[in-house]
């Protein structure tokens, strides 16, 4: 393993890596703008230039491979002078509008200006002001803030493979632009906002809604498909404001789909169910949540008393956490040991959306066609519980079922137009976040929590089980499914996903919620 010396400190480096990679692996900071571990190296920003013994000129650390015995000076007078000059150059036309910039608080230009720039500006001319551009349904380009790092351009070529963005002009007239009639509207478009190291590319959805330093961060999983993309929910005072990707080399690397990025909006849907109800004389009437739970339990027990074992079912939604499905299965079987456990509808698109590198054709990202996050996990839980089971399509063959517990939680209408006859009659308890075709006809309606309002785990299409945490509280009038099942099972205390996973055992026992930001191998270059 090569050893290099950086500012007097000897560090180990992986063979063939660049100086910047070796330094970052060892925790030695070198400023960088244009570099991103998921994109090709262009060495255009020049702020990572360092002095290397035996080489007369400064060299870009991001593009210079290490060799054993190399001596690097990242804090020499020549290196520091270059950093100050780069910062001065970048700030010549960059407006100092940090108070209004949406990226204030997470802007590398701010940070590096303080750490590597000059304390005072020597620029006396008027700054060049480039126009703002609407470059996509979700994205604004504030061109006057752009430092031409070209991360966004490389992303649309090397990851989304759509090539909407390009560099227009030369020298001081360079600008990021889109081709006429071809806005950045691919399904990964929001990632260019995450890539921008300054406030040039902005998300229309988040614009001017919150200052980033007010936001809290909670690890979660995408609810929109079976891919299991790792995300952070950014929220403040009980409101989720945005979703950002969370690095996972095995699942989504640095990227997420726009479907995932904007999936939080259902949490604030005006149609959210917020009051428990029961059917009185054919009309839904609001009742207290505790009373609604009692009505549900008594109604299901009455069905078993009247029709015997095997008359109940539980429709387990693929939007449920595995722990919740396990508890509901345990509860329904405590009333009716022969109750049928059914996996709810699994909506799918025609095929996966596959993104490829524009040049090599190598697959870079895949959005799964299965549009629910936990069908695999619910199947695993049903197998774990054993006993009678059925698919949603098979429900029509179970005409003897007289009552059941139906769980929704989907992000949009999930019931097919042609309902199985079982769901059209009998005693029905519905637990959901949005109204559906049978909500007004259900005997008991229990408003439930959205995925961001509860904790648990999901299993993605590849069999990877991942835990997520509750970011915000459910709206007033709704309760987390786990809390409801805990009460029905007569358990003391509150629902705790970790404890339930331990009880479930098997593949669930070792699933842990990431408590800290996972270390990102920032300089493991993506193979393109």
């Amino acid at each position: 393993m090569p050893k290099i010396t950086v500012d007097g400190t000897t560090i180990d480096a992986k063979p063939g890596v660049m100086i910047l990679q070796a330094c970052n692996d060892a925790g030695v900071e070198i400023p960088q703008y244009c570099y991103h571990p998921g994109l090709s190296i262009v060495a255009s920003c020049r702020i990572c230039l360092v002095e290397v013994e035996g080489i007369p000129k400064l060299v870009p650390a991001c593009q210079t491979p290490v060799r054993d015995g190399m001596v690097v000076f990242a804090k020499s007078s020549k290196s520091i002078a270059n950093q100050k000059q780069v910062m001065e150059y970048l700030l010549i036309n960059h407006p100092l509008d940090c108070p209004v910039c949406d990226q204030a608080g997470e802007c590398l230009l701010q940070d590096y200006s303080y750490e590597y720039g000059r304390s005072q500006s020597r620029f006396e001319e008027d700054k060049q002001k480039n126009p703002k551009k609407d470059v996509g349904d979700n994205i604004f380009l504030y061109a006057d803030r752009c430092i031409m790092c070209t991360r966004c351009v490389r992303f649309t070529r090397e990851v989304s493979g759509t090539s909407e963005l390009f560099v227009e002009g030369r020298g001081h007239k360079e600008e990021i632009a889109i081709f006429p009639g071809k806005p950045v509207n691919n399904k990964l478009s929001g990632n260019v906002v995450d890539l921008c190291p300054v406030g040039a590319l902005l998300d229309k959805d988040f614009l001017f809604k919150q200052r980033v330093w007010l936001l809290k961060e909670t690890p979660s999983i995408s609810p929109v498909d079976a891919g299991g993309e790792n995300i952070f929910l950014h929220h403040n005072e009980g409101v989720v404001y945005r979703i950002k990707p969370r690095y996972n080399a095995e699942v989504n690397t640095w990227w997420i789909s726009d479907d995932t990025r904007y999936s939080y909006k259902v949490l604030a849907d005006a149609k959210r169910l917020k009051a428990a109800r029961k059917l009185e004389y054919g009309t839904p009437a609001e009742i207290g949540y505790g009373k609604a739970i009692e009505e549900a339990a008594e109604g299901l027990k009455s069905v078993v008393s009247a029709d015997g074992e095997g008359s109940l079912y539980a429709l387990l939604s693929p939007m449920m956490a595995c722990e919740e499905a396990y508890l509901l299965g345990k509860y329904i079987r405590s009333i009716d040991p022969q109750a049928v456990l059914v996996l709810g509808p699994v909506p799918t698109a025609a095929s996966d959306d596959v993104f490829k590198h524009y040049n090599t054709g190598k697959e870079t990202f895949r959005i799964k066609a299965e549009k629910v996050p936990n069908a695999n996990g619910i199947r695993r839980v049903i197998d774990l519980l054993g006993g009678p089971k059925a698919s949603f399509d098979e429900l029509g063959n179970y005409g003897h079922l007289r009552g059941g517990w139906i769980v929704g939680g989907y992000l949009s209408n999930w019931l097919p137009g042609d309902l199985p006859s079982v769901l059209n009659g009998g005693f029905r308890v519905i637990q959901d976040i949005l109204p559906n075709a049978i909500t007004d006809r259900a005997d008991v309606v229990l408003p439930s929590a959205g995925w961001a309002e509860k904790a648990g785990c999901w299993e993605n299409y590849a069999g990877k089980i991942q835990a997520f945490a509750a970011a915000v509280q459910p709206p007033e009038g709704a309760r987390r499914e786990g809390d409801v099942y805990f009460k029905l099972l007569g358990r003391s205390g509150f629902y705790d996903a970790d404890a339930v996973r331990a009880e479930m055992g098997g593949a669930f026992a070792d699933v842990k919620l990431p408590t800290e930001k996972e270390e990102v191998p920032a300089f493991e270059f993506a193979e393109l």
Side-chain angles (χ1 to χ4, degrees), residues 265-279:
K265 293 186 176 182
V266 70
L267 302 171
D269 195 312
K271 297 191 294 295
R272 282 286 299 266
L273 295 171
K274 296 179 181 175
R277 303 198 302 252
K278 76 169 188 176
L279 206 60

Side-chain angles (χ1 to χ4, degrees), residues 208-222:
F208 304 136
K209 286 187 177 175
Q210 278 281 295
R211 306 315 310 229
V212 296
W213 53 82
L214 298 176
L215 297 174
K216 303 171 188 67
E217 188 173 79
T218 302
S220 188
I221 307 295
S222 167

Side-chain angles (χ1 to χ4, degrees), residues 98-411:
C98 304
V100 300
C101 177
D102 236 28
Q103 203 149 327
E106 50 187 19
C107 171
L108 287 181
L109 202 68
Q110 281 183 332
D111 297 343
Y112 287 171
S113 177
Y114 174 75
E115 295 178 39
Y116 301 102
R118 297 179 185 277
S119 59
Q120 291 183 320
S121 172
R122 297 184 296 176
F123 190 67
E124 297 178 348
E125 309 298 327
D126 291 333
K127 291 178 183 286
Q128 180 179 336
K129 295 180 180 178
N130 293 318
K132 298 173 184 174
K133 299 177 183 177
D134 188 344
V135 297
D137 289 346
N138 301 316
I139 304 164
F140 275 132
L141 170 61
Y142 281 37
D144 55 346
R145 298 174 187 163
C146 180
I147 61 170
M148 296 305 298
C149 70
T150 71
R151 285 181 176 183
C152 55
V153 175
R154 282 175 280 155
F155 177 85
T156 60
R157 295 179 180 177
E158 299 166 5
V159 181
S160 70
T162 47
S163 302
E164 298 99 336
L165 294 170
F166 72 106
V167 178
E168 182 180 52
R170 292 281 190 178
H172 72 285
K173 293 187 177 180
E174 273 190 343
E175 288 183 34
I176 302 295
I178 56 173
F179 291 100
K182 193 177 180 184
V184 189
N185 285 339
N186 67 73
K187 291 187 176 181
L188 302 179
S189 66
N191 291 289
V192 299
V193 176
D194 303 332
L195 285 168
C196 186
V198 297
L201 286 164
L202 299 171
D203 189 340
K204 293 177 184 177
D205 181 69
F206 182 68
L207 197 62
F208 304 136
K209 286 187 177 175
Q210 278 281 295
R211 306 315 310 229
V212 296
W213 53 82
L214 298 176
L215 297 174
K216 303 171 188 67
E217 188 173 79
T218 302
S220 188
I221 307 295
S222 167
V224 299
D225 60 47
E229 295 167 21
N230 287 210
I231 56 176
F232 281 116
L233 298 170
H234 287 180
H235 54 95
N236 183 30
E237 297 183 342
V239 179
V240 177
Y241 285 97
R242 68 178 184 180
I243 289 177
K244 290 287 186 181
R246 179 161 57 93
Y247 178 82
N248 187 321
E250 300 177 9
V251 182
N252 56 303
T253 60
W254 300 267
W255 326 117
I256 58 173
S257 69
D258 283 0
D259 290 342
T260 296
R261 189 175 299 275
Y262 303 116
S263 60
Y264 72 90
K265 293 186 176 182
V266 70
L267 302 171
D269 195 312
K271 297 191 294 295
R272 282 286 299 266
L273 295 171
K274 296 179 181 175
R277 303 198 302 252
K278 76 169 188 176
L279 206 60
E280 283 188 345
Y281 308 109
T283 304
E286 290 189 11
I287 57 174
Y289 212 108
K291 182 64 177 174
I293 294 174
E294 292 175 8
E295 293 275 347
E298 290 170 6
L300 293 172
K301 290 174 182 173
S302 298
V303 170
V304 179
S305 297
D307 299 295
E309 291 186 2
S311 55
L312 291 185
Y313 63 91
L315 188 67
L316 306 176
S317 167
M319 298 296 297
M320 298 175 79
C322 292
E323 299 88 336
E324 296 167 345
Y326 172 78
L327 292 176
L328 178 56
K330 296 280 283 186
Y331 169 66
I332 207 79
R333 289 277 171 77
S334 71
I335 301 173
D336 179 358
Q338 291 303 309
V340 180
L341 302 183
V342 185
L343 171 63
V346 180
T348 57
S351 60
D352 293 357
D353 287 313
V354 180
F355 297 86
K356 297 180 179 179
H357 190 280
Y358 80 117
N359 194 19
T360 66
K362 181 178 178 180
E363 181 177 326
T364 52
F365 199 84
R366 179 178 289 262
I367 300 174
K368 295 301 293 179
E370 189 173 290
K371 296 305 177 188
V372 285
N374 198 32
N376 271 357
I378 299 301
R379 292 188 190 100
R380 186 186 292 273
V381 170
I382 290 175
D383 290 341
L384 175 66
L385 292 168
K389 64 179 181 179
S391 68
F392 187 75
D393 293 335
E394 293 170 343
L395 263 183
N397 304 327
Y398 288 76
H400 61 282
L401 298 176
R402 295 290 180 267
W405 192 296
I406 302 166
V407 183
Y410 295 77
L411 304 184

Side-chain angles (χ1 to χ4, degrees), residues 505-523:
F508 298 104
D510 297 327
V511 177
K512 301 295 181 187
L513 181 73
T515 54
E516 299 177 354
K517 285 186 179 179
E518 293 184 19
E519 189 68 25
V520 177
F523 295 94

